[in-house]
């Protein structure tokens, strides 16, 4: 089953809507709550990133009995140094975002910790695609 | 184990006009209007009392125990919530209020605020022992506990596993009078509908020590008279500022002396913060106080005074009760606390009330169907169908509870279709005449 979300890039107050909706759906499907929590944390973090760093984009969530696949695609600036971005505390968030408590880091580490697999494709000036996988029995 | 549902929040059918105001305000989408009246889904209701506040016809009520229940016991003790102090002007002392309450047929009174002080200290110690990154969530508001078990089960482990001040008070007085051979009854004087539910179907413990819950609003008139007629006020007030402060938002939060706590009140804000906790967005916080009612228990559905005024009275009383806790310094004897036990003995079980079907495959099919139905609905969330939103109606249809034509727009569409068919039929001639 596939769910698609358009994420707007200029309204921080709306950031997190897609994650909330997916969370609600996973609860309706009876997915074990530790899996829901991991999905919530990793997808939320990635969704916020998309708003702060990339002007929004598109999220596609695919559910099947074995796994949850979340693909976040943006046409933003791309991540110049992925290794550096994966480090704890690294941030390029603008002042406005930081004041809201977002962007203390890009949270990629956090996504990695809370997902079963994380894959990032990024091209400078063209955009980033983040793919997160979570296993239902994981 | 089958889950038992008891609810203090109920509907008075005779008063309900079926206006649908309540369906919109219900935070768990537990209410539907059908056949001209509201229906509450027992599994979803968390007794927050939101519908009691919003119903313009006063059709939503909280059932509490009547004062006449005192007749069933020989020795009766009132345990008033700290909120009671906010219902009377500061000029009336706490001692006067307690004396008046006692005169209404009780043999003793014990303030829940005293138990709140003890629990503040215990929670403080408990917090110090924790070294998890996840903030602890207060469990003193029963609505929050029910919300977590039904909608946020992934946060169950973060609840502080401790009994409520009401429960501790009842245990303290039952212990104090354990040698009596006659029937001892403990009555909670309550601002809260959910506490009635909590006594009948407790969480975290096997059985409540409270025998009855009496709503503040149900005794307020009689108590006001009694307060005005107190001649010799007894020295009954032991509670200090810390315990009294539990009546309002941030009372408990400050009392646990955590450096990084947040205090949340109002059910919508509580849900929002629980969502954020689940998303891992709340960091560097070690304790979250959560009160379902606006302003805390001073905003409880069984109170009479405006919550803002009540809150103001509570803070004034806190100022005049700053001296240290008497029972701490004088050792007046709550040293049996260790024996009474403050921790939960039962696990809180997750009971997901929004689950579509226990079988994942079936649930998935239902969800797909739901999506299709939802896309066909107008998306106006008008509530005319008796469900709070088009999404909720789609869910009801998939669950087989109702049909698409509950939607007035779909109904109109259906009528249009039928009319077209009829006109078409009308224009056809019998075969004999048709040439
Ligand atoms: S608000 Fe709800 S309970 Fe009150 S009259 Fe309207 S439909 Fe009935
Ligand atoms: S805030 Fe207080 S009165 Fe309101 S539901 Fe919670 S415990 Fe009851």
């Amino acid at each position: 089953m596939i769910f698609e979300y358009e994420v707007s890039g200029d309204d921080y107050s709306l950031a997190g809507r897609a994650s909330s909706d997916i969370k609600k759906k996973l609860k309706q499907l009876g997915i074990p709550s530790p899996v829901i929590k991991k999905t919530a944390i990793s997808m939320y973090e990635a969704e916020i990133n998309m708003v702060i760093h990339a002007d929004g984009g598109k999220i596609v969530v695919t559910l099947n009995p074995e796994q949850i696949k979340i693909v976040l695609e943006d046409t933003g600036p791309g991540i110049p140094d992925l290794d550096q971005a994966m480090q704890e505390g690294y941030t390029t968030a603008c002042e406005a975002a930081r004041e809201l408590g977002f962007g203390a880091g890009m949270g990629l580490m956090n996504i990695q910790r809370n997902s079963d697999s994380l894959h990032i494709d990024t091209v400078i000036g063209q955009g980033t695609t983040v793919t997160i996988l979570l296993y239902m029995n994981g | 184990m089958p889950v038992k549902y008891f609810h203090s929040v109920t509907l008075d059918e005779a008063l309900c006009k079926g206006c649908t105001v309540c369906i919109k305000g219900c935070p768990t989408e537990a209410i539907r209007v059908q056949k001209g009246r509201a229906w509450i889904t027992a599994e979803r209701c968390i007794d927050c009392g939101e519908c009691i506040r919003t119903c313009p016809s006063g059709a939503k009520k909280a059932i509490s125990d009547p004062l006449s229940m005192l007749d069933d016991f020989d020795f009766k003790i009132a345990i008033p919530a700290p909120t009671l102090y906010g219902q009377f002007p500061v000029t009336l002392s706490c001692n006067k209020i307690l004396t008046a309450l006692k005169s209404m047929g009780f043999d003793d009174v014990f303030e829940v605020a005293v138990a709140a002080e003890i629990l503040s200290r215990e929670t403080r110690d408990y917090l110090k022992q924790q070294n998890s990154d996840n903030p602890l969530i207060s469990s003193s508001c029963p609505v929050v506990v029910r919300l977590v078990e039904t909608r946020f089960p992934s946060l169950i482990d973060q609840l502080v596993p401790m009994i409520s001040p009401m429960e501790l008070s009842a245990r303290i007085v039952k212990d104090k009078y354990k040698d009596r051979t006659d029937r001892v009854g403990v009555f909670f004087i309550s601002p809260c509908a959910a506490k009635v539910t909590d006594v009948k179907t407790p969480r975290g413990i096997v059985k409540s020590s409270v025998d009855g819950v009496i709503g503040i609003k149900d005794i307020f008139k009689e108590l006001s008279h009694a307060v005005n007629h107190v001649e010799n006020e007894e020295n009954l007030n032991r509670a200090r500022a810390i315990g009294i402060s539990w009546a309002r938002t941030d009372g408990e939060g400050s009392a646990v002396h955590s450096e990084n706590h947040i205090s949340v009140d109002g059910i919508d804000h509580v849900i929002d913060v629980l969502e954020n906790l689940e998303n891992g967005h709340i960091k560097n916080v070690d304790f979250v106080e959560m009160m379902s009612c606006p302003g805390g228990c001073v905003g409880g559905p069984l109170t009479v005074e405006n919550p803002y005024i009540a809150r103001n009275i509570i803070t004034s009383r806190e100022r005049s009760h700053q001296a240290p806790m008497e029972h701490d310094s004088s050792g007046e004897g709550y040293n049996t606390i260790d024996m009474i036990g403050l921790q939960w003995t039962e696990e809180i079980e997750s009971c997901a009330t929004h689950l579509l079907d226990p079988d994942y495959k079936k649930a998935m099919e239902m969800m797909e169907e739901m999506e299709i139905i939802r896309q066909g609905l107008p998306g106006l969330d008008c509530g005319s169908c008796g469900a709070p939103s088009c999404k909720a109606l789609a869910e009801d249809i998939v669950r087989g509870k109702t049909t698409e034509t509950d939607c007035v727009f779909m109904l109109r569409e259906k009528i249009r279709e039928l009319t077209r068919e009829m006109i078409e039929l009308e224009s056809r001639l019998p075969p004999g005449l048709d040439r």
Side-chain angles (χ1 to χ4, degrees):
Chain A
M1 202 177 179
I2 297 176
F3 300 100
E4 290 190 12
Y5 302 89
E6 291 292 335
V7 177
S8 134
D10 46 15
D11 193 345
Y12 293 129
S13 67
L14 293 179
R17 289 236 166 147
S19 320
S20 274
D21 194 60
I22 283 295
K23 206 157 78 178
K24 192 173 171 203
K25 293 201 157 74
L26 297 180
K27 286 176 185 178
Q28 286 182 316
L29 291 172
I31 307 298
S33 62
V35 179
I36 296 185
K37 198 171 186 176
K38 278 164 62 182
T39 311
I41 296 176
S42 43
M43 179 168 169
Y44 177 79
E45 196 88 57
E47 184 181 350
I48 296 288
N49 264 343
M50 185 177 238
V51 176
I52 295 177
H53 302 285
D55 235 0
K58 200 172 101 186
I59 308 181
V60 180
V61 181
T62 317
L63 297 182
N64 67 41
E66 283 81 40
Q67 65 174 32
I68 303 164
K69 183 173 160 195
I70 308 161
V71 181
L72 301 100
E73 213 184 314
D74 68 55
T75 49
I79 307 169
D81 186 339
L82 200 53
D83 288 337
Q84 195 187 15
M86 288 299 287
Q87 280 160 27
E88 197 99 40
Y90 172 80
T91 182
T92 56
C94 65
E95 209 42 51
R98 255 180 271 180
E99 274 168 16
L100 283 165
F102 298 121
M106 276 184 75
L108 295 182
M109 283 279 286
N110 205 16
I111 301 177
Q112 191 156 48
R113 262 200 301 272
N114 285 287
S115 58
D116 295 315
S117 122
L118 167 67
H119 185 84
I120 302 172
D121 272 325
T122 184
V123 180
I124 297 297
Q126 285 183 28
T128 303
T129 302
V130 177
T131 307
I132 300 169
L133 271 186
L134 290 121
Y135 301 114
M136 296 292 190
N137 56 10
Chain B
M1 195 183 79
V3 190
K4 272 194 297 172
Y5 296 110
F6 166 87
H7 289 295
S8 57
V9 175
T10 52
L11 177 85
D12 182 340
E13 278 179 53
L15 291 177
C16 177
K17 296 198 171 77
C19 67
T20 74
V21 170
C22 58
I23 58 170
K24 286 280 182 191
C26 175
T28 58
E29 297 191 335
I31 314 175
R32 297 290 184 276
V33 169
Q34 267 168 359
K35 302 194 177 78
R37 56 159 281 203
W39 302 81
I40 308 174
T41 311
E43 306 93 271
R44 287 196 182 176
C45 175
I46 52 172
D47 287 301
C48 64
E50 214 46 43
C51 55
I52 299 180
R53 288 191 193 95
T54 47
C55 174
S57 314
K60 289 279 182 10
K61 298 235 150 83
I63 304 180
S64 44
D65 296 311
L67 206 54
S68 61
M69 196 183 167
L70 264 67
D71 300 341
D72 299 346
F73 297 86
D74 303 307
F75 192 83
K76 302 136 233 188
I77 306 129
I79 52 168
T83 308
L84 184 67
Y85 294 143
Q87 310 295 303
F88 295 93
V90 245
T91 46
L92 292 169
S93 72
C94 294
N95 270 327
K96 202 166 202 175
I97 299 167
L98 294 175
T99 308
L101 177 64
K102 194 175 159 192
S103 76
M104 286 176 66
F106 295 98
D107 299 286
D108 196 1
V109 291
F110 180 88
E111 302 158 277
V112 170
V114 170
E117 282 167 49
I118 299 168
L119 281 163
S120 304
R121 202 175 52 209
E122 294 294 319
T123 311
R124 216 178 292 162
D125 293 345
Y126 183 79
L127 272 183
K128 279 197 206 121
Q129 296 158 15
Q130 300 299 308
N131 48 5
S132 133
D133 287 344
N134 295 327
L136 285 175
I137 303 167
S138 159
S139 56
S140 57
C141 174
V143 170
V144 172
V145 175
R146 274 157 178 78
L147 193 58
V148 169
E149 74 178 8
T150 54
R151 256 182 80 177
F152 299 94
S154 73
L155 300 174
I156 288 178
D157 292 344
Q158 285 169 245
L159 288 169
V160 175
M162 255 180 249
I163 61 171
S164 66
M166 168 188 82
E167 206 50 52
L168 177 57
S169 307
R171 288 188 190 182
I172 290 174
V173 291
K174 287 246 159 121
D175 185 66
K176 185 173 169 192
Y177 294 112
K178 63 174 178 296
D179 295 330
R180 290 192 73 95
T181 48
D182 48 6
R183 288 167 303 169
V184 175
V186 178
F187 296 88
F188 180 54
I189 310 301
S190 178
C192 175
K195 288 284 186 198
V196 183
T197 313
D198 209 37
V199 164
K200 302 255 187 331
T201 50
R203 296 291 190 267
I205 58 173
V206 179
K207 189 178 180 301
S208 172
S209 300
V210 178
D211 299 291
V213 179
I214 299 171
I216 290 178
K217 74 174 180 50
D218 298 326
I219 55 162
F220 188 73
K221 204 168 152 193
E222 202 179 323
L223 184 57
S224 313
H225 282 137
V227 167
N228 290 326
H229 291 98
V230 170
E231 279 171 10
N232 301 312
E233 61 182 59
E234 287 181 62
N235 189 15
L236 297 166
N237 169 220
R238 296 279 173 278
R240 305 283 93 197
I242 287 184
I244 296 173
S245 73
W246 275 54
R248 58 160 174 91
T249 309
D250 203 37
E252 181 190 2
S254 315
V256 300
H257 284 296
S258 124
E259 279 176 20
N260 293 307
H261 75 271
I262 53 172
S263 298
V264 191
D265 63 1
I267 189 75
D268 290 345
H269 299 143
V270 164
I271 290 173
D272 188 46
V273 170
L274 287 172
E275 285 278 356
N276 276 297
L277 279 166
E278 204 168 43
N279 291 344
H281 179 53
I282 297 179
K283 297 174 192 125
N284 308 320
V285 163
D286 48 19
F287 182 72
V288 185
E289 177 204 277
M290 293 202 151
M291 305 293 249
S292 153
C293 296
C297 299
V298 286
L302 304 183
T303 58
V304 289
E305 185 53 279
N306 172 288
Y308 299 97
I309 295 173
R311 188 190 163 122
N312 196 28
I313 299 171
I314 291 290
T315 35
S316 304
R317 291 196 194 275
E318 284 169 46
R319 277 197 293 276
S320 58
H321 283 74
Q322 282 299 338
M325 292 188 249
E326 272 175 48
H327 48 269
D328 248 355
S329 45
S330 70
E332 204 202 276
Y334 302 108
N335 35 16
T336 44
I337 294 302
D338 291 344
M339 282 146 65
I340 289 175
L342 304 175
Q343 305 257 335
W344 282 347
T345 52
E346 307 301 300
E347 297 230 338
I348 304 282
E349 282 173 42
S350 137
C351 47
T353 50
H354 288 72
L355 188 64
L356 287 169
D357 196 273
D359 173 11
Y360 178 79
K361 250 185 79 191
K362 180 86 198 295
M364 199 73 140
E365 281 166 17
M366 287 170 81
M367 186 170 284
E368 275 176 40
E369 202 186 324
M370 231 165 84
E371 271 312 292
I372 296 168
I373 296 173
R374 190 187 59 80
Q375 279 164 20
L377 293 172
L380 294 173
D381 295 339
C382 66
S384 312
C385 59
S389 64
C390 296
K391 235 181 189 168
L393 179 67
E395 192 181 328
D396 288 352
I397 295 170
V398 169
R399 286 182 191 273
K401 290 185 178 165
T402 184
T403 58
E404 250 169 27
T405 43
D406 271 11
C407 170
V408 285
F409 301 96
M410 296 301 263
L411 183 66
R412 195 169 64 178
E413 202 44 52
K414 269 260 144 56
I415 292 173
R416 238 188 231 153
E417 248 171 57
L418 276 177
T419 316
R420 264 197 298 270
E421 268 172 44
M422 276 161 69
I423 292 172
E424 226 256 310
L425 279 180
E426 192 270 344
S427 66
R428 282 197 209 155
L429 292 170
L433 297 177
D434 191 9
R435 53 177 183 144

